[in-house]
Amino acid sequence: MPAIGSIYPKKENIFSSKKSLKSLPVLIVRLMKGFLFRKKTEQCGEFLRVAGKVKVSARKNSKLILGDNVLLYHNVGFYLDTDHAVISIGDRTYINRRTEIMCKDNVTIGSDCAISWDVTIMDTDYHSIEGNSDTASVTIGNKVWIECKATILKGVTIGDGAVIAAGALVLRDVPPNSVVAGVPAKVVKSSIHWL
């Protein structure tokens, strides 16, 4: 199990160090890409940063809603596959490379979330089994850390402060401040607080 530590840098004046000055051109490019990306959203907060190509496949009346200070890395994909589909992402959440979110109803991701690379989040099976609904909303709370190659399936609610371990397959709700791991994912630690 990976250590639970801080993934957010300490806030500092952007001009306070040589390193910050060197990263300023990167920040400007990401903000410019974010400005251009806004037209693909229904609603977008301030300071959206886009670090590479992001795919949006959306039906006519579907909605992609982004909060303030969201960061999207290269090859993130948003798939809004019905006219009423809504993907909503809270403030200061980042989504890393090649993560895909598939939505036919509603996927809500809270604020201050860290979503690693190659994560799949989907509120639909895309295929039906007789007697079962193929779609159910996904809700991810605030300050949730989803590690690489995890999969979150339809109907799941993940509580605030939870950690989803690398490669986990989440089929059931995850309690707040817990770590889940495995296939299928099970609680392996409770009462955690990651920084």
Side-chain angles (χ1 to χ4, degrees), residues 172-191:
R172 294 180 185 82
D173 291 353
V174 176
N177 302 108
S178 61
V179 178
V180 297
V183 179
K186 295 179 182 174
V187 174
V188 295
K189 193 168 187 179
S190 299
S191 301

Side-chain angles (χ1 to χ4, degrees), residues 9-24 27:
K10 292 181 181 177
K11 292 185 180 181
E12 59 182 45
N13 182 334
I14 193 163
F15 300 107
S16 65
S17 70
K18 287 182 182 179
K19 184 178 178 186
S20 294
L21 287 175
K22 286 182 181 179
S23 65
L24 188 58
L27 175 62

Side-chain angles (χ1 to χ4, degrees), residues 134-152:
D134 69 344
T135 302
S137 296
V138 170
T139 303
I140 298 171
N142 297 318
K143 203 172 182 191
V144 170
W145 179 5
I146 303 176
E147 297 179 14
C148 65
K149 299 186 179 182
T151 300
I152 315 299

